[in-house]
């Protein structure tokens, strides 16, 4: 089963762009997960277990490296066209 998720990271860090860029780069290392980022959030799509596993691993890694951060995630079962815009 496919899963599409939207993720926003809010680091408790004055230099908030570095942790966000670091997180996005880490997400890009997963060849089996499609990623699109815009000014508000990052959307990912892949197999359900792959996406959830990646999020668990990378959110934990972000907290270990950067300290406190809030992650806001939305999930929808199924595959959405991440290139779609209106």
């Amino acid at each position: 089963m496919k899963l599409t998720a939207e993720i926003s990271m809010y680091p408790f860090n004055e230099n908030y762009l570095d942790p966000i860029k670091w997180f996005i780069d880490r997400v890009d290392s997963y060849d089996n997960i499609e990623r699109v980022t815009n000014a508000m959030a990052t959307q990912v799509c892949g197999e359900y277990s792959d996406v959830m596993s990646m999020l668990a691993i990378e959110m934990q890694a972000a907290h270990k490296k950067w300290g406190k951060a809030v992650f806001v995630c939305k999930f929808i079962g199924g595959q959405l066209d991440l290139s779609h815009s209106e």
Side-chain angles (χ1 to χ4, degrees), residues 28-80:
D28 278 343
S29 72
Y30 292 80
D31 294 333
N32 55 343
I33 296 175
E34 179 184 0
R35 180 205 50 92
V36 172
T37 298
N38 61 40
M40 297 284 293
T42 295
Q43 292 86 30
V44 296
C45 186
E47 288 298 322
Y48 197 103
S49 60
D50 293 342
V51 171
M52 294 302 282
S53 176
M54 177 275 295
L55 288 174
I57 291 166
E58 298 309 333
M59 287 190 299
Q60 182 178 15
H63 286 130
K64 283 183 179 178
K65 180 169 179 67
W66 301 101
K68 293 181 181 175
V70 173
F71 287 90
V72 177
C73 300
K74 297 183 220 174
F75 302 95
I76 185 165
Q79 183 171 357
L80 297 181

Side-chain angles (χ1 to χ4, degrees), residues 7-45:
I7 310 142
S8 297
M9 179 184 184
Y10 301 96
F12 287 19
N13 188 321
E14 285 186 34
N15 186 13
Y16 61 90
L17 288 178
D18 286 344
I20 293 170
K21 288 177 182 177
W22 177 89
F23 183 80
I24 292 167
D25 287 344
R26 301 264 304 198
V27 170
D28 278 343
S29 72
Y30 292 80
D31 294 333
N32 55 343
I33 296 175
E34 179 184 0
R35 180 205 50 92
V36 172
T37 298
N38 61 40
M40 297 284 293
T42 295
Q43 292 86 30
V44 296
C45 186

